[in-house]
Amino acid sequence: MAQLRLILGDQLSPGISSLRDATVGEDVILIAEVQEEATYVRHHRKKIAFLFAAMRHFARELESAGHRVRYVRLDDPANQGSLRAEVARALEAEPSLEGVVATKPGEWRLMQDMETWRDLFPVPVELREDDRFIVSTAEFAAWAKGRRQLRMEYFYREVRRRTGLLMDGEEPAGGQWNYDAENRKRLPAGLAPPPRYLPEPDALTREVIELVGERFPDHFGDLAPWVFATTRDGAEAARDHFIADILPGFGDWQDAMARGEPWMWHSLLSLYINCGLLDPLDVCKRAEAAWRDGSAPLNAVEGFIRQIIGWREYVRGIYWLKMPGYAEMNALGAHRRLPEFYWTGETPMRCMAEAIGQTKRHAYAHHIQRLMVTGNFALLAGIDPAEVNEWYLAVYADAYEWVELPNTHGMALYADGGMMASKPYAASGNYISKMSDYCGSCQYSVKEKTGPRACPFNYLYWDFIARNREALKGNPRMALIVRALDRLPQAELAAMQDEAGAYLNKVAGRSEPEIKMKS
């Protein structure tokens, strides 16, 4: 009974559930580049090119193993433009196929569509669990049941015990579960991040880059310079380079930011893990081995592993537990429009220009830039969560809704009212000044709260606290801030609120004050 085996763009794993029992030379594996998936949000052009190139390389990998692969290119004149239509075309072209087998997708939108296929196609459709994750959606739901708060830290400890990662018997390695307190250092002057593995595109990838440039001229983002591997061998080389040369410094500097330094000590592995070129548990085991053989310190390895088996697994669990209603939550009643500078990077705020500029160039920014710069601004400004979520989903090469939505909606915007975060991650310009060198070259002054040179993060911060005082006053972690708000002289608070209102009205109108930047 020959089957049609569907592979999605983020399922580039030879051991994925939909292929596990595939009959070599008999079953047909369908991989399709379709317009619908490339445009349901206006994805970064580098993200599209990365995935299409990786898909083409994966098709070659499968063919080398003897599989029959039906690969549909975007520029195929017969391309039907959607996954559903391409499955239908494949079944019509191959009448001997007696069923469709697919691994469940990572996005609610696509899952809803695929669940209708059983009624649309003349053959059985089997949707299998995606077991590339350590914790299944059912297991996460069981963990969450009856808990008043779904805090990542407690979930993370359970996954540590389950996997044995960084465990000494029943106790965490080093006697602590979490070394985050050691990982908040500002980059000292004169210390430069190490060189990175940034491969040149091969001929196949160059062909895809040209295609994407022609087909998506109006999408966000630059196609050059190219910085991503698009093969499994390349992703594994990036992994090995990170663990050997970068991981030892990751812990100390993981929260630091610096002008002109997009990579810092971050792994640059999330896009490979999320599309299936790397196995997350394997990556974690290799990182643990680096600590056990003395190559990397515990604070670095624990912090890195926590991002994968803690945050990554946790946000997926939240997504499938709470969707579809989760995306509609707006606990703080934020309804302003996303400023135009999120798409252009043209803003006098040096921190925003740096974070958005590198996002435009590389389809990448590290977690502190996403949370405490672009996310923090959106939180303080009261930008509509739907617009912010769409931006984050579109602009990052590692973004799929299951991982993007909870991180943005819950952590950055507090739109879920505290389901994920114990408090809003709101900060004035002082945090950015502490963790970066951005402020020294900014036209605005991080020390000023009002006036034409005042850092917008400063007056927006106090306006945010005042605007949401009633929603925040019952949160124990916000009590000190609310009391500080109540002690502010009324004239000072009124001045900051006036400046915040005037500034946001201009930003919401898709323009920002013209201030000449320092070079």
Side-chain angles (χ1 to χ4, degrees):
M1 295 178 62
Q3 304 287 312
L4 181 67
R5 310 270 178 168
L6 175 65
I7 293 294
L8 305 180
D10 61 346
Q11 296 180 349
L12 309 183
S13 308
I16 196 165
S17 59
S18 56
L19 297 182
R20 198 154 295 147
D21 55 353
T23 302
V24 174
E26 181 176 340
D27 290 348
V28 175
I29 300 173
L30 172 63
I31 307 176
E33 303 166 4
V34 294
Q35 188 77 7
E36 185 173 78
E37 293 305 305
T39 58
Y40 70 90
V41 297
R42 293 167 62 84
H43 292 291
H44 197 298
R45 294 193 299 167
K46 191 167 286 178
K47 177 182 185 179
I48 299 172
F50 163 70
L51 283 173
F52 284 0
M55 289 159 63
R56 293 186 186 190
H57 276 298
F58 185 53
R60 290 185 176 182
E61 184 181 337
L62 292 171
E63 287 172 337
S64 296
H67 289 287
R68 294 176 61 201
V69 178
R70 179 184 175 91
Y71 194 93
V72 182
R73 294 167 50 124
L74 186 72
D75 54 359
D76 181 342
N79 190 317
Q80 299 297 296
S82 72
L83 291 170
R84 183 197 315 137
E86 281 303 321
V87 169
R89 186 163 74 102
L91 291 173
E92 184 176 350
E94 301 269 0
S96 64
L97 296 173
E98 299 184 41
V100 176
V101 179
T103 295
K104 291 180 179 180
E107 298 194 352
W108 181 270
R109 163 195 64 85
L110 188 53
M111 184 66 182
Q112 294 304 105
D113 183 67
M114 291 175 71
E115 285 182 335
T116 69
W117 292 4
R118 295 185 178 95
D119 299 324
L120 297 176
F121 299 141
V123 297
V125 176
E126 180 185 0
L127 299 181
R128 296 179 176 177
E129 295 297 327
D130 189 345
D131 55 12
R132 295 174 299 169
F133 293 86
I134 297 166
V135 179
S136 71
T137 55
E139 289 168 335
F140 185 88
W143 173 82
K145 187 176 182 179
R147 293 177 183 266
R148 188 173 61 87
Q149 295 179 321
L150 304 180
R151 293 290 177 253
M152 190 282 294
E153 179 65 25
Y154 301 111
F155 171 79
Y156 166 60
R157 294 179 186 184
E158 291 298 319
V159 182
R160 286 269 296 275
R161 293 186 181 100
R162 175 172 173 170
T163 61
L165 286 166
L166 295 180
M167 296 296 293
D168 290 333
E170 295 297 317
E171 298 301 318
Q176 295 177 218
W177 289 103
N178 185 316
Y179 290 84
D180 205 32
E182 298 180 20
N183 298 344
R184 299 168 182 165
K185 297 176 182 177
R186 177 191 172 101
L187 192 67
L191 179 61
R196 303 308 299 259
Y197 171 78
L198 303 172
E200 292 291 325
D202 59 14
L204 181 154
T205 303
R206 289 195 298 270
E207 182 181 14
V208 172
I209 291 169
E210 183 177 355
L211 173 67
V212 171
E214 293 171 354
R215 292 297 184 98
F216 304 98
D218 299 327
H219 277 224
F220 176 80
D222 302 335
L223 284 164
W226 191 258
V227 294
F228 301 141
T230 55
T231 65
R232 194 170 317 281
D233 286 347
E236 290 172 353
R239 174 202 65 200
D240 294 346
H241 165 69
F242 168 71
I243 291 174
D245 301 329
I246 311 298
L247 178 60
F250 170 75
D252 288 351
W253 318 120
Q254 67 170 283
D255 285 5
M257 300 172 281
R259 281 192 300 140
E261 297 290 355
W263 320 123
M264 301 297 282
W265 278 261
H266 290 270
S267 74
L268 312 187
L269 299 182
S270 56
L271 78 165
Y272 306 130
I273 293 173
N274 288 353
C275 79
L277 290 180
L278 292 179
D279 175 76
L281 188 57
D282 174 73
V283 172
C284 289
K285 288 178 179 178
R286 291 170 184 268
E288 180 187 34
W291 169 67
R292 294 202 180 272
D293 69 18
S295 302
L298 183 55
N299 70 310
V301 173
E302 187 279 318
F304 175 67
I305 287 177
R306 178 163 21 97
Q307 289 187 343
I308 297 177
I309 70 168
W311 277 113
R312 185 175 184 270
E313 295 281 335
Y314 170 77
V315 297
R316 178 179 183 257
I318 289 287
Y319 179 81
W320 288 108
L321 182 69
K322 298 298 182 180
M323 283 294 282
Y326 190 78
E328 306 302 319
M329 298 178 75
N330 191 350
L332 299 180
H335 294 293
R336 288 191 177 270
R337 300 295 305 278
L338 186 75
E340 184 67 18
F341 59 71
Y342 272 78
W343 297 108
T344 67
E346 297 173 2
T347 167
M349 290 179 287
R350 176 66 77 181
C351 58
M352 293 288 283
E354 285 281 334
I356 296 168
Q358 73 174 60
T359 296
K360 182 173 180 290
R361 286 188 298 277
H362 302 305
Y364 173 81
H366 70 68
H367 70 285
I368 292 299
Q369 292 172 307
R370 299 190 202 193
L371 178 64
M372 299 306 301
V373 180
T374 51
N376 184 28
F377 183 92
L379 170 67
L380 300 181
I383 307 302
D384 191 309
E387 294 201 24
V388 184
N389 288 324
E390 181 175 335
W391 184 81
Y392 275 90
L393 181 58
V395 303
Y396 292 116
D398 59 3
Y400 304 88
E401 195 179 61
W402 66 264
V403 65
E404 172 276 323
L405 182 65
N407 272 309
T408 305
H409 208 63
M411 291 300 295
L413 302 180
Y414 203 69
D416 63 6
M419 186 181 301
M420 283 184 63
S422 58
K423 71 177 186 66
Y425 277 81
S428 68
N430 183 58
Y431 174 86
I432 297 169
S433 178
K434 176 184 175 183
M435 296 307 302
S436 78
D437 63 359
Y438 295 154
C439 300
S441 59
C442 185
Q443 183 65 43
Y444 294 117
S445 171
V446 73
K447 296 180 180 180
E448 298 182 29
K449 296 180 181 178
T450 57
R453 294 195 66 245
C455 172
F457 279 88
N458 290 341
Y459 51 72
L460 289 176
Y461 174 79
W462 287 108
D463 178 66
F464 169 81
I465 300 299
R467 195 170 70 240
N468 295 288
R469 184 186 185 283
E470 291 306 306
L472 301 177
K473 67 180 183 180
N475 185 322
R477 295 195 65 192
M478 296 300 294
L480 286 175
I481 299 300
V482 172
R483 287 199 292 271
L485 171 74
D486 293 342
R487 290 195 299 268
L488 282 176
Q490 285 302 304
E492 181 181 352
L493 177 60
M496 288 190 287
Q497 288 182 292
D498 287 345
E499 293 213 24
Y503 176 78
L504 290 175
N505 285 339
K506 291 179 181 179
V507 169
R510 303 283 178 172
S511 64
E512 194 183 13
E514 291 291 332
I515 299 178
K516 185 178 179 182
M517 286 291 296
K518 293 179 181 178
S519 61

